[in-house]
Amino acid sequence: LALCACVAPMVCAQPLRVLAIASDAASCEEMAQALRPYGIEMAVVAAGPETLEALASDGSDLRRQYDVVFLQAASDPGKRLGAFAAVLADAVLSGIGLVVEGGQATYGEEGLVKTHLARLLPVAPAQGRTGSPPWGRPRVEDEHSPLLRFLGWAKAPRAVSYELLEAKSGATVHLTVDASPCLVTWRIGDRAIVAFAGGLTGSWGKPWNQWVSFDAFRARLFHYAAGMGDAALKAIVPPGPRVPG
């Protein structure tokens, strides 16, 4: 496991190894470049059964190569992952971290809910709430959360797109948007699964790009998924003076 306390722009001697399963490789590459100063080395692979089948034959093989897997939003994530969803689920149960971003259908009936990953996610589609994803303002639910502390949420974007979700029993809700869970986590062993209802990349991530703490926030999600402790997470901050909140 490659973990270290990273304060931007420090580069870790042992970078965190992240595999990004991408529907939009260009935006994933942009994130990879932005997070490199935070000790993260991200390999970007286009989502598709053929590509993913060649990547790893089983969960233990995937676990040896990477510390965390990132699933980028896609219009048909279940179809794009194919049989690899079962391989990834096995890897998560064996000790790999997982970060998932929201999109038009990431967590819904046309998304991950019908894959082997569904039971491992800390969220489920919101029941009785349908329609296009709304816009809303992020709200910090736990001001002491190591994922959120010292990032200056007062200056976070005022309007973001997000999927309507429900947190499962036992999960931790760190962030909401209009009372809907937006950042939800739980742990499996010493690793974590991070479900974000908004966008970390692509068009849904654009409203966040003007926020000075966005890269530090994204970096924390990946390091948290890999099992980094609270004190080290809070040391991952944007360049410049530490901001309150």
Side-chain angles (χ1 to χ4, degrees), residues 100-180:
V100 184
E101 74 167 352
Q104 292 286 347
T106 299
Y107 301 99
E109 290 297 321
E110 302 302 320
L112 299 177
V113 73
K114 294 182 179 179
T115 72
H116 287 78
L117 292 168
R119 62 189 177 92
L120 301 180
L121 295 174
V123 296
Q127 298 299 312
R129 300 178 67 182
T130 59
S132 300
W135 287 76
R137 184 175 184 177
R139 172 187 170 88
V140 173
E141 294 297 324
D142 179 5
E143 63 181 13
H144 299 295
S145 167
L147 292 175
L148 309 179
R149 191 77 168 133
F150 304 128
L151 293 182
W153 285 92
K155 296 184 178 180
R158 298 179 61 87
V160 296
S161 293
Y162 63 100
E163 282 195 63
L164 293 167
L165 303 175
E166 292 179 356
K168 293 180 181 177
S169 176
T172 299
V173 178
H174 303 264
L175 194 69
T176 60
V177 178
D178 292 342
S180 180

Side-chain angles (χ1 to χ4, degrees), residues 8-241:
M10 182 183 296
V11 178
C12 296
Q14 294 182 311
L16 190 74
R17 303 166 301 169
V18 175
L19 171 66
I21 308 298
S23 58
D24 175 8
S27 63
C28 272
E29 292 287 1
E30 289 176 1
M31 179 171 67
Q33 183 175 357
L35 297 188
R36 193 167 291 121
Y38 293 88
I40 295 172
E41 287 296 330
M42 185 174 293
V44 179
V45 175
E50 297 81 8
T51 304
L52 297 177
E53 183 179 353
L55 181 67
S57 58
D58 57 50
S60 60
D61 185 30
L62 192 67
R63 175 65 184 85
R64 284 192 293 270
Q65 298 178 65
Y66 301 100
D67 303 302
V68 178
V69 171
F70 168 61
L71 292 184
Q72 189 181 35
S75 58
D76 51 356
K79 183 178 180 180
R80 286 175 181 265
L81 290 177
F84 183 75
V87 174
L88 180 54
D90 179 60
V92 171
L93 291 172
S94 299
I96 200 169
L98 179 64
V99 177
V100 184
E101 74 167 352
Q104 292 286 347
T106 299
Y107 301 99
E109 290 297 321
E110 302 302 320
L112 299 177
V113 73
K114 294 182 179 179
T115 72
H116 287 78
L117 292 168
R119 62 189 177 92
L120 301 180
L121 295 174
V123 296
Q127 298 299 312
R129 300 178 67 182
T130 59
S132 300
W135 287 76
R137 184 175 184 177
R139 172 187 170 88
V140 173
E141 294 297 324
D142 179 5
E143 63 181 13
H144 299 295
S145 167
L147 292 175
L148 309 179
R149 191 77 168 133
F150 304 128
L151 293 182
W153 285 92
K155 296 184 178 180
R158 298 179 61 87
V160 296
S161 293
Y162 63 100
E163 282 195 63
L164 293 167
L165 303 175
E166 292 179 356
K168 293 180 181 177
S169 176
T172 299
V173 178
H174 303 264
L175 194 69
T176 60
V177 178
D178 292 342
S180 180
C182 183
L183 177 61
V184 186
T185 67
W186 64 15
R187 290 196 176 276
I188 295 181
D190 63 351
R191 302 301 179 95
I193 299 177
V194 177
F196 189 56
L200 299 173
T201 62
S203 60
W204 278 27
K206 285 183 179 179
W208 297 87
N209 284 332
Q210 301 304 313
W211 182 38
V212 68
S213 297
F214 187 39
D215 290 340
F217 171 63
R218 292 190 293 186
R220 286 190 188 188
L221 300 186
F222 288 106
H223 282 291
Y224 179 83
M228 179 177 277
D230 290 2
L233 283 169
K234 292 176 182 178
I236 300 175
V237 294

